[in-house]
Every structure is written in C-alpha cells, then in structure tokens.
Amino acid sequence: MAITILCSHAAVMARQAEGKLAPPPASTEPAPGVAAPKAGELVKVEVKGALESYDPRREDTASKTVLTHEEIIKYGDTNVFDVLKRAPGVTVIGNSIRLRGLGNGYTQVLVNGERPPPGFSMEALTPDQIDRIEVIRAATAEHSTQAIAGTINIVLSKVVSRTQRDLRLNASRSGEQHKLMALGTLADRSGKLSYYLNAMMSQNVDGTPGSTVQLLAAPDGQVLQSREKRSTRDMRTTSGGLLPRLNWKLDNDGQLNWNTYLQGQRSRGGFSNLTTSSVGAFAPPDYRDSRSTSNVDDHFAGTDLNWVAKLWGGKLDAKLGVSKGRASIENRALSSTADRVTMLRRDTDTTNDFGNVNTSGKYARSLFDGHALAVGWEANFHKVDENIDRTEGLAGVAPKTIHEVFTPRVKRRSVFAQDEWNITTNWSMYLGARWEGIRTASEGSGQAGTTSRSGVLSPIAQTLYKFPGGSGRQLRMALTRTYKAPNTYQLSARRYEADQNDRFNPDTSGNPRLRPELANGLDVTYEHFWAPGAVLSVGGSARQIKDYIRGRLAQDAQGRWLVQPLNNGTAQVRTLDVELKFPLKAVMTDAPPFDIRASVNRNWSRVESVPGPDNRLDQQVPLSAVFGVDYKVDTFSAGANLAVRAGGPVRVSEEQRSRMQARRELELYLLYKIGTGLQLRSGVSNALGEDTLGDTSYEDGRGTSRSWSRGPGSAKLQVNLEMKL
C-alpha cells in the first residue's frame, strides 16, 4: 500500500525524512462509502495528521510568530489594522504598521508573500478573508529583503476543507464616526474542484473636528506670532469588495489556483479650516478661511494564476498576476481673507491609472541527508499615469488652467536560493541569499526625466538549537542584510507648492540622487515552550543602517520653505522583546479557563548626523506593551486587551524636533453563542477615549516655530451578528 503525506513546507519534508515529525500510523480500513481494495491493488492514502500538528514557530529554523484565524476574528474587528494592534511586537498608529517601533517603509507588509500592487487597499482586507498572519522579525531569502524592521505577511484563505456559508453584520459607533458593514463567505468543494467567495460592503460616516496652535518666537523668547486653526472634516464613504477563488486538485498532488480581487470605493465630503491670530499680523494675502469639497472614486481589479506541481523529485510553485486600478479625485477649494474681499479658488481634477504585472515562483525539494533546498524568482513591473487639471485664480479674474502629467515606471527583479537542514537532531541551520534590483524612471510636466537604479545582495544565516531532553527550551540566532529603497515620489524631481508657503506649510520635493538604506542585522532569541499552549520568549536585535534617509526642512535659493529627502549618514537600532503566553491551567491545575498573554518591546535608535539627545529615528516608538486575557466556556467567551505605547521627544535634525504621543488603548469583547450557527459578539475599542496629539518645532538663529495639534477621540462600540447558514 502506497502512503502519501501532504506537506506545504520543504522543511517539513526534510524533518519527516529525519524522523522528527513522524506521521501517525495510517489506518488500513477504508473510509465510509469507499470500497475495500482488491488484493494486490495499490491504494493512495493521504495522511494529514503530521502537518496539522506542525507548529512553525517551534519547528522552523527561520523564526516567525503566527496569528491563527481563530485569534484574528476573536474581537470582531472589521479591518486588519485593528487585528495587528494585539500582535506581540507590533505597533499600529493609524494605518501605519510597525515592527521595532519603525514605520515609514522600514516594516514590510505583504499579502500572500508579495507586495500589494498600486491601487490595492489594505483597508478592504477583512479578517474573515485571512487564514493567518505571519510576523517575521528576521529576514528570509524567500521574501523581499526590503524589511529592515521585519515583515508582516498576511495569508488569505485558499484551501476549502468543508462547506462554509457565513454572514456577518457589523455596526459600530463612536463620537467621530459610525459604520455599517456586511460580510459574507460562500465556500464548498465538489470532487477535485473547490471554490471560495468572500464579499464585503460597508458605509462609513466620519465627522472629525481638530485644532492646531502655531507659535513663532524670536531668539529672546518674545512671541511674534500666535495662531489657532480650527478644522472640520465630514466624509461619507461607501466601499465594497469581492474575492472569488477557485482551486483544482491535479494528479500527483498538483494544484491550480485562480484568485481574483475586486475593490471599489466612493467618498464624498467637505473640509474647512478657520485660522485666527491673537498675536502678530498675517503676511498678505492673509487667507484665513479655507473650505473645500472632495469627491473620490477608486476601483481596483487584480487576478493571478498559481500552479503547483511535483517535478524532478521536488515541488514547483509558480504564479502569474496582473492588476489594474483607477483613482479619480475632484477637489474644489476656496480660500478667503478675513473680510472675504480677496478670494482664491483652486479646482483640481486628478486621475491616477495604475497597472501592474508580476510573476514569482519557487522550486523546493529535499536533498542529501536532511536538506531542504529552494530557489526562486520574482519580477514585477508597475506604472502610474497621473493626470492633473488645475484651474486657479482670484475671484473676479480670469482663471489660469494648468495641465500636469506624471508617469513613473518601476521595474523590480529578484532571485533567491536557500537551504535549511538538520545538522543534528537538535540543531538546524538556514542559509540563503537574495539579489534584488530596482529601476525607477519618471517623467512629468515641467521637469526633466529622471532614472534611478539600485541593486542589493542580501546574504542571510539563521540557526536553531533545541536543548536536549525534550525541555522545550531553544535558542535562535540570525545574521541578515536588509534594505529600504526610496519610493517613487521620493526619487522624483517633482515639486508640490503650498498655497501659503511658510515653516508650517512648506513645499515638498523628491530627490533623484537618493540611495537605498542598507542594514546589517543580528537577532538572538531564547524561547521556552514550557507547557501546552505556553511560551516564554526573550529576544534582542541590533541593526546598523548606512545611507539613512531623512527629510530636511530648509529654505531654497528663492527663500521658499522646502522639505526634501536626502541620505544623511548612519543610524543604529537596538531592540529588546519579551513575550509570555500561557493558559492559566498551566500554572494552576484547577484554574478557570483563562488564557493570559503579555509582550513588552523596548526600542532604541541613534542617528549619527543629528546631535543628541533624543536623536533617534523619526517617529520610532520607544516602548510598547500589550496585555491581554481571554475567557472561554461552552457558549460564552470574553476578553480584554490593553495596548500601551510610550512617547517622548525626537530630534529629527539639528533644527527640527517633534514629540511622540504616549497612548493607551483598551479593548473589550463579549461573545455569546445563541444557538447552532448563530452568535452575537459585542466590543468596545479605545475604551479610555484618548485624543490624538501632535507637537513639532523648528529652531534656528531667527527664532523658534512650534505647532501643537489635537484630534478628539472617544470609545467605539460595535456589535456583530454572525450566522452560519
């Protein structure tokens, strides 16, 4: 009788060959409804128990933390950003996802192992669609090494093992917004064909007020100017998404997968800013009152075909994808003086067309004694065609019409090879290398065409040592080379001019001469799996960054204030991560069914070209912590989660400073199973109702300018009705 073991990871195959993951004995009894084999007939039996019990965090040499689907949907979230707030070592500020406290391109976010194409909205990824989330702190050759801080890989559901017909209705409300959402999933299998269809529709009404105080003082401290700006934002957004997927099982354990992404969104809203001055006069023209309306329509469509086949004793996993999107923005703005005599109208119509073609693949096989080898490629081409029609002029005067075109093109190519093998029963090693090349070209109205090329070779080594005796204790180490490439707009010579140019409202421009930031890294982690479902992890890391990119605020030759990126020397990053997670029964035999989790992350950084103190990387969170508890019985479960992040001053440059806000976010949830296939989930997020604060300053020989901002915050209540049909 032939026995086939289904595995999704080359390392599992190698470990099974070594006997580390011995599959359970295969039953020789036929399944119900299946005829018994005839004498001498070969029968193919699939044994899945080994893979289902496989824990990648404990077994993989390349370190990762995995959030399962059950953990993802626990709180009833409607977007992936809220889910990641509870992940150990992850900090989320708005829609910025950060590892080691670093955003702004240092943390790489992938969907199914690839960078989302232009036009793809992460906000449209609902937790129901996600199979798991991988938090990868040390780079691997298989994924792009544009990940100085680490990688978040969001893996969408694909394999259908049972019939699924789910409907979820969600309603949420806070002092600033209210939202209605409907989510549905339809999945089934028929013979070798399975399908998965996920649909989402939502409407969000957002009314957010805000205030900003701006102050300009002379070198002796005398206040020369003091202003207050009050703003309002009212926006209504309707969005929808459809994700159909098909899976065909081929002979010899092959697969053919077809995935499609359809997203659409429409926003209508208005904005207003009213500025008053208590000290000092406005420089003419004194546009104090500005109002605008905005209409935004965008849509995205993407599809990819994935082929998995056994070839030459190994497995080939290849993919080809295309996508296209469009964003249309209509903005009507009117600025006026205090007496409303002088008025400036600026109407802008912008259309962005996105196009993307990509291919990727990996060939993996076990070789020699315990080796799992893999080689692969990735190639991507994406383009943006941006067309802007701007009509502006003073009221009563013939307006001026300006047409602008901006056409960036980006080509990315990469190849990689990696080998993971078991040196002994308790010691495994991972070696890999990846080369990535990027070519960026852009042309635009009123600017010379620019071209930028870069190539980075990233060698990677990781090792895992398990202490003998089945103690559950293990030690990890990783040496990596990663990088952060400038984005398209940072490399463009294009300049965006502010209506009223000053220190608080500067022009912005790119820099075609920017080089990628390169980082050499060391990670060391101790893990102790001391009971079923229990783990203690303590890790430290260091990164040495070369050609650090920062934004510089200064005046140009014409005296206009300008923010422009530039390479500015070296920087160092160090982190300390501690995670503890366990069921209460692991320490108290008769304890109630509570699950406890806690993580603390301390981050340090220093920019050599900026004088101290507080000369850390811009907006790095110095300390974050997550504390959570969950309780579950037959028909009832509840939980609480407290995410805390520290703030403090940051010296961005010799003249620029900012202060990061400290924040506490408390979340609560209750889940009650009403009956078979019907449950009600309610929750509260931002239960402490903290406001959002900002504080920046600029100081030179002519004085100090400082700006404080505040956006109100309030608790958000949400209710989910979840039905299995």
Side-chain angles (χ1 to χ4, degrees):
M1 179 177 294
I3 299 178
T4 300
I5 299 175
L6 299 183
C7 300
S8 63
H9 194 283
V12 181
M13 297 165 59
R15 290 191 177 93
Q16 286 176 339
E18 285 290 303
K20 292 179 68 175
L21 288 177
S27 172
T28 59
E29 296 296 325
V34 178
K38 299 177 182 179
E41 181 182 0
L42 291 177
V43 177
K44 180 180 177 181
V45 179
E46 295 180 353
V47 182
K48 300 182 181 180
L51 182 59
E52 292 172 353
S53 61
Y54 182 75
D55 182 359
R57 176 170 187 176
R58 189 169 182 173
E59 302 295 339
D60 282 2
T61 306
S63 174
K64 70 176 68 169
T65 301
V66 178
L67 298 180
T68 64
H69 182 73
E70 182 181 10
E71 294 174 295
I72 291 168
I73 65 173
K74 184 179 294 181
Y75 280 74
D77 301 309
T78 58
N79 63 78
V80 70
F81 302 103
D82 288 340
V83 172
L84 286 168
K85 289 178 181 178
R86 293 181 291 277
V90 181
T91 306
V92 179
I93 302 177
N95 288 351
S96 172
I97 301 171
R98 304 175 176 213
L99 288 170
R100 309 183 201 277
L102 294 171
N104 194 28
Y106 289 102
T107 298
Q108 174 176 242
V109 180
L110 306 177
V111 177
N112 289 337
E114 298 177 347
R115 287 177 171 266
F120 183 88
S121 172
M122 293 290 293
E123 295 181 349
L125 280 182
T126 59
D128 301 64
Q129 306 166 13
I130 302 172
D131 177 68
R132 66 186 185 276
I133 298 176
E134 300 172 342
V135 182
I136 307 169
R137 291 180 174 82
T140 62
E142 182 176 352
H143 297 132
S144 172
T145 52
Q146 290 193 66
I148 291 178
T151 297
I152 306 289
N153 184 28
I154 302 167
V155 182
L156 303 182
S157 301
K158 181 170 63 175
V159 177
V160 177
S161 58
R162 57 182 175 81
T163 300
Q164 185 177 349
R165 291 177 175 84
D166 299 341
L167 177 64
R168 179 152 71 102
L169 304 177
N170 172 277
S172 63
R173 187 179 186 92
S174 69
E176 297 76 45
Q177 64 175 206
H178 60 269
K179 185 174 185 178
L180 298 174
M181 175 178 280
L183 304 161
T185 301
L186 181 63
D188 208 344
R189 177 187 295 272
S190 177
K192 294 185 176 182
L193 173 66
S194 65
Y195 65 87
Y196 182 97
L197 178 65
N198 185 275
M200 178 274 290
M201 290 189 66
S202 71
Q203 185 174 76
N204 183 61
V205 178
D206 184 357
T208 308
S211 62
T212 302
V213 176
Q214 299 174 343
L215 182 144
L216 179 63
D220 61 2
Q222 179 187 0
V223 177
L224 303 176
Q225 191 174 75
S226 179
R227 303 177 184 175
E228 182 178 9
K229 179 186 295 183
R230 293 195 173 275
S231 61
T232 58
R233 175 180 181 271
D234 296 296
M235 182 68 69
R236 180 183 295 270
T237 302
T238 303
S239 60
L242 194 64
L243 283 86
R245 299 168 202 155
L246 293 175
N247 172 273
W248 289 271
K249 280 197 170 184
L250 306 177
D251 294 337
N252 198 26
D253 296 327
Q255 293 183 40
L256 191 63
N257 301 298
W258 174 68
N259 305 298
T260 297
Y261 312 87
L262 303 172
Q263 301 175 353
Q265 181 171 282
R266 168 173 288 188
S267 298
R268 301 289 184 266
F271 306 84
S272 66
N273 287 295
L274 179 62
T275 304
T276 58
S277 178
S278 57
V279 178
F282 282 86
D286 55 342
Y287 295 128
R288 304 188 184 191
D289 189 355
S290 62
R291 304 171 187 271
S292 66
T293 60
S294 179
N295 297 329
V296 181
D297 294 280
D298 61 67
H299 58 264
F300 171 86
T303 186
D304 63 64
L305 193 63
N306 172 224
W307 178 48
V308 180
K310 285 188 175 180
L311 294 174
W312 311 301
K315 184 176 75 171
L316 175 66
D317 189 334
K319 182 187 292 186
L320 176 65
V322 295
S323 64
K324 187 175 181 62
R326 164 172 280 201
S328 301
I329 305 169
E330 296 179 359
N331 191 72
R332 305 290 180 260
L334 181 67
S335 301
S336 61
T337 56
D339 54 11
R340 301 187 67 82
V341 172
T342 303
M343 292 185 288
L344 172 68
R345 176 172 293 279
R346 174 174 283 184
D347 298 338
T348 307
D349 295 312
T350 303
T351 301
N352 286 303
D353 289 300
F354 308 97
N356 190 82
V357 180
N358 68 283
T359 177
S360 61
K362 181 178 75 169
Y363 177 75
R365 66 166 297 172
S366 296
L367 201 64
F368 307 121
D369 188 14
H371 285 259
L373 299 174
V375 295
W377 76 91
E378 187 173 345
N380 177 282
F381 170 76
H382 78 252
K383 65 175 184 176
V384 179
D385 292 319
E386 182 176 1
N387 288 274
I388 303 174
D389 288 305
R390 188 170 73 244
T391 301
E392 61 180 33
L394 296 175
V397 179
K400 178 175 61 175
T401 299
I402 302 171
H403 178 71
E404 294 180 305
V405 177
F406 182 50
T407 57
R409 303 287 188 265
V410 180
K411 295 180 181 179
R412 302 176 188 269
R413 325 177 288 289
S414 61
V415 292
F416 73 88
Q418 61 185 29
D419 180 18
E420 184 178 350
W421 77 97
N422 299 321
I423 301 173
T424 68
T425 304
N426 297 321
W427 182 22
S428 60
M429 178 71 72
Y430 170 97
L431 291 177
R434 184 183 182 97
W435 179 85
E436 298 190 28
I438 302 176
R439 181 185 184 274
T440 302
S442 65
E443 295 181 354
S445 303
Q447 67 180 59
T450 60
T451 301
S452 175
R453 292 182 176 86
S454 64
V456 177
L457 177 63
S458 299
I460 298 167
Q462 299 196 41
T463 187
L464 168 64
Y465 176 74
K466 295 188 175 184
F467 291 85
S471 65
R473 295 180 295 122
Q474 56 190 41
L475 187 65
R476 298 180 178 277
M477 181 178 293
L479 294 171
T480 60
R481 192 182 196 221
T482 52
Y483 76 105
K484 173 178 172 284
N487 62 43
T488 303
Y489 290 92
Q490 286 179 313
L491 290 169
S492 169
R494 187 181 189 187
R495 182 162 179 159
Y496 296 85
E497 294 189 352
D499 287 349
Q500 195 168 18
N501 182 273
D502 56 27
R503 296 184 182 191
F504 303 108
N505 302 286
D507 298 347
T508 59
S509 175
N511 180 359
R513 296 182 297 276
L514 284 178
R515 300 179 299 277
E517 298 182 35
L518 302 178
N520 294 320
L522 169 66
D523 294 75
V524 179
T525 305
Y526 169 80
E527 297 171 325
H528 186 190
F529 298 88
W530 48 278
V535 61
L536 169 66
S537 174
V538 180
S541 68
R543 299 284 187 273
Q544 179 76 21
I545 301 175
K546 177 185 176 184
D547 287 333
Y548 165 66
I549 297 174
R550 71 170 178 87
R552 181 184 64 178
L553 174 64
Q555 287 181 290
D556 63 12
Q558 288 73 42
R560 292 184 64 89
W561 290 94
L562 173 68
V563 172
Q564 188 176 37
L566 75 161
N567 294 106
N568 198 225
T570 61
Q572 293 85 39
V573 179
R574 293 174 292 124
T575 64
L576 176 64
D577 306 312
V578 180
E579 180 189 359
L580 178 62
K581 175 180 168 184
F582 62 95
L584 194 57
K585 290 184 178 180
V587 294
M588 298 171 56
T589 305
D590 299 325
F594 283 99
D595 289 329
I596 312 297
R597 49 192 164 77
S599 64
V600 180
N601 308 94
R602 182 69 171 94
N603 308 303
W604 298 267
S605 63
R606 186 177 72 235
V607 179
E608 296 293 347
S609 60
V610 177
D614 307 317
N615 55 336
R616 63 179 186 265
L617 290 177
D618 189 17
Q619 297 301 306
Q620 183 189 39
V621 178
L623 174 70
S624 63
V626 176
F627 306 94
V629 58
D630 298 292
Y631 174 82
K632 185 176 182 180
V633 290
D634 293 337
T635 61
F636 172 81
S637 60
N641 188 86
L642 176 64
V644 179
R645 71 171 188 259
V650 180
R651 191 163 188 178
V652 182
S653 68
E654 187 172 353
E655 301 86 8
Q656 294 170 262
R657 290 176 173 82
S658 66
R659 176 172 288 274
M660 176 169 286
Q661 175 191 3
R663 191 173 179 88
R664 300 166 299 162
E665 293 196 22
L666 176 63
E667 298 175 291
L668 309 166
Y669 82 94
L670 294 171
L671 173 64
Y672 177 65
K673 295 184 178 180
I674 301 172
T676 303
L678 183 63
Q679 59 187 26
L680 183 67
R681 188 189 307 265
S682 60
V684 182
S685 58
N686 192 25
L688 303 178
E690 293 198 349
D691 295 343
T692 300
L693 307 176
D695 184 354
T696 61
S697 65
Y698 182 94
E699 181 179 359
D700 60 16
R702 290 171 290 181
T704 301
S705 56
R706 191 167 183 181
S707 176
W708 298 267
S709 64
R710 176 183 292 272
S714 61
K716 183 172 75 172
L717 307 176
Q718 64 175 338
V719 178
N720 289 274
L721 182 62
E722 302 168 9
M723 296 170 278
K724 295 185 182 297
L725 307 176

